[in-house]
């Protein structure tokens, strides 16, 4: 889904009045509403475009407005992921790394994470910023500005690619991604008084490409191709490899965004302190996680709902061998020739 392929977007501008904002939102809302839509799926009805199913109406419209209005800077850093692919963790690691001097990780008692969740520290463009008929004033934010998105690479705001800003992508084994999304979706369904979906039901949709941010394989391959073409602009991480050596990935992250760790920081244990601060066990114990909430355009989410188990291979506790083999076969076929190997292979 690329908003520019649907409508001709206005040039980015900071100076847009409320009426113009509302007209822009209405224009894109009318466009998305005309696309074929599914019955309510794990979250909300999905919309079909370019042979794939994509997120519900409001985030899609937000992504299109961001494409039209977001004025990117070369110093911007955008976290890109599929939902439930390690988004919360990479947001925490990025924020803690970029702001390590004003908010030292070894002074955890005074860190912003005590009062704010990672999704409040690094906002989604389409779920938090470009929502509710408004274009946010982001011009006063200091550099480097940190943002996040779930959209495919082709749907990133056009100004982002033109600016040369950095994009950090994290992918996860599709089976673990599926199970984490299944659990998260059922939390929303329970809140709405709906029956939970079975793993088999959501797996069938997943294999057909019916997912909130489009087909898994298209999403991953889009960012992988961008990384191969422009490794200096797009960093590609695997969740499983991050779990094996988080410190090495924090160092790569810092180097990529132009803030490498000094020898003094290395000797002082700053990298390890960031890893500990952002670890699953530490984050789930914070009051901001246990009782905090994050406002999204699709509804209010308890911060605790963004933390499940954080384990690699938990899919084996929920998916049958037959379903797992089907997903693996699709992954192998889709990744073939790309240079990207399926997770869990050498």
């Amino acid at each position: 889904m690329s908003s520019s392929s649907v409508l001709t977007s206005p040039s980015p501008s900071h100076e847009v009045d409320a009426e113009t904002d509302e007209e822009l939102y209405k224009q894109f809302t009318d466009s998305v509403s005309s696309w074929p839509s599914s019955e309510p799926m794990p979250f909300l009805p999905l919309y079909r475009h370019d042979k794939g199913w994509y997120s519900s109406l409001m985030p899609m419209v937000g992504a299109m407005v961001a494409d039209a209005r977001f004025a990117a800077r070369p110093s911007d850093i955008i976290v890109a992921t599929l939902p439930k692919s390690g988004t919360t963790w990479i947001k925490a690691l990025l924020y803690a790394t970029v702001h390590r001097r004003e908010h030292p990780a070894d002074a955890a008692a005074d860190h912003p994470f005590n009062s704010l969740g990672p999704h409040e520290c690094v906002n989604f463009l389409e779920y938090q910023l470009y929502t509710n008929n408004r274009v946010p004033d982001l011009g006063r934010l200091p550099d480097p500005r940190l943002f996040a998105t779930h959209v495919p690479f082709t749907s990133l705001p056009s100004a982002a690619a033109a600016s040369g800003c950095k994009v950090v992508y994290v992918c996860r084994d599709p089976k673990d991604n599926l199970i984490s999304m299944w659990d998260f979706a059922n939390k929303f369904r329970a809140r709405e008084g709906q029956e939970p979906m079975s793993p088999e039901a959501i797996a069938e949709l997943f294999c057909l490409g019916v997912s909130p941010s489009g087909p898994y394989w298209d999403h991953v391959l889009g960012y992988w191709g961008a990384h191969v073409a422009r490794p200096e602009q797009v960093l590609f991480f695997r969740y499983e490899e991050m779990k094996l050596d988080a410190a090495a990935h924090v160092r790569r992250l810092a180097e990529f965004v132009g803030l490498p760790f000094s020898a003094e920081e290395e000797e002082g244990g700053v990298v390890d302190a960031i890893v500990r601060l952002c670890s699953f066990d530490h984050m789930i114990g914070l009051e901001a996680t246990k009782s905090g909430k994050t406002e999204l355009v699709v509804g209010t989410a308890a911060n605790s709902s963004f933390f499940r188990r954080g384990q690699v291979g938990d899919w084996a506790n929920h998916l049958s061998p037959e379903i797992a083999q089907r997903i693996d076969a699709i992954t192998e076929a889709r990744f073939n020739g790309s240079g990207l190997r399926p997770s869990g292979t050498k």
Side-chain angles (χ1 to χ4, degrees):
M1 184 274 294
S2 175
S3 58
S4 58
S5 68
V6 181
L7 294 171
T8 301
S9 301
S11 300
S13 171
H14 287 302
E15 299 179 0
V16 288
D17 58 37
E19 182 180 4
T20 302
D21 293 353
E22 292 178 5
E23 290 175 352
L24 186 65
Y25 273 91
K26 184 178 186 306
Q27 181 185 24
F28 289 137
T29 299
D30 290 346
S31 177
V32 176
S33 298
S34 70
W35 300 348
S37 63
S38 70
E39 295 297 323
M41 291 298 175
F43 296 93
L44 297 166
L46 305 182
Y47 290 80
R48 188 176 183 87
H49 183 59
D50 289 350
K51 300 180 181 179
W53 293 95
Y54 294 93
S55 187
S56 56
L57 187 147
M58 292 178 288
M60 288 193 75
V61 171
M64 296 167 76
V65 175
D67 183 45
R69 288 289 189 260
F70 178 61
R73 301 173 184 167
S75 56
D76 288 342
I77 306 168
I78 300 176
V79 169
T81 59
L82 278 162
K84 312 312 298 176
S85 291
T87 310
T88 306
W89 191 22
I90 191 62
K91 280 186 175 186
L93 290 172
L94 176 63
Y95 184 89
T97 298
V98 169
H99 295 288
R100 63 185 185 267
R101 292 184 178 133
E102 62 264 44
H103 302 302
D106 57 3
D110 297 322
H111 200 275
F113 289 163
N114 288 294
S115 56
L116 299 171
H119 299 293
E120 296 169 286
C121 294
V122 182
N123 286 174
F124 285 107
L125 292 170
E126 71 275 21
Y127 282 90
Q128 292 170 286
L129 295 175
Y130 289 86
T131 62
N132 301 321
N133 290 331
R134 78 183 193 281
V135 172
D137 180 6
L138 305 177
R140 296 182 181 181
L141 294 178
D143 295 332
R145 302 182 303 180
L146 309 182
F147 303 109
T149 187
H150 283 323
V151 301
F153 180 76
T154 54
S155 295
L156 281 176
S158 54
S163 73
C165 72
K166 303 288 188 178
V167 177
V168 180
Y169 187 75
V170 178
C171 80
R172 190 178 187 182
D173 182 294
K175 300 184 295 298
D176 277 332
N177 175 223
L178 165 65
I179 289 303
S180 188
M181 185 169 60
W182 161 73
D183 178 78
F184 189 69
N186 277 339
K187 290 175 182 175
F188 269 81
R189 293 175 69 86
R191 192 178 69 180
E192 299 298 322
Q194 299 174 318
E195 291 294 321
M197 292 189 73
S198 68
E200 294 77 14
I202 199 170
E204 179 64 25
L205 296 171
F206 185 87
C207 289
L208 294 174
V210 183
S211 297
S213 296
Y216 169 93
W217 301 275
D218 292 349
H219 203 282
V220 173
L221 287 170
Y223 282 96
W224 171 253
H227 163 70
V228 171
R230 297 185 293 280
E232 74 286 350
Q233 186 179 357
V234 182
L235 182 65
F236 193 96
F237 279 168
R238 289 176 176 273
Y239 182 85
E240 295 77 18
E241 293 173 352
M242 291 173 65
K243 292 287 288 185
L244 288 174
D245 193 346
H249 284 77
V250 169
R251 292 185 177 95
R252 285 182 60 197
L253 180 64
E255 186 79 30
F256 177 73
V257 301
L259 297 169
F261 292 97
S262 66
E264 291 77 14
E265 287 179 315
E266 289 283 2
E267 292 175 5
V270 173
V271 175
D272 290 337
I274 290 174
V275 172
R276 287 194 300 272
L277 174 71
C278 302
S279 68
F280 183 91
D281 289 343
H282 179 260
M283 294 294 285
I284 61 173
L286 297 176
E287 192 60 33
T289 299
K290 292 188 290 185
S291 61
K293 297 180 180 180
T294 297
E295 296 294 332
L296 304 172
V297 71
V298 293
T300 302
N303 288 343
S304 60
S305 68
F306 297 112
F307 295 84
R308 183 172 167 266
R309 300 187 67 185
Q311 296 181 352
V312 173
D314 184 53
W315 62 264
N317 296 316
H318 305 279
L319 296 178
S320 69
E322 292 76 19
I323 291 176
Q325 289 168 11
R326 180 182 177 188
I327 295 173
D328 287 344
I330 296 173
T331 304
E332 184 174 356
R334 290 299 312 277
F335 285 3
N336 185 38
S338 69
L340 178 64
R341 57 180 175 77
S343 297
T345 62
K346 300 295 184 181

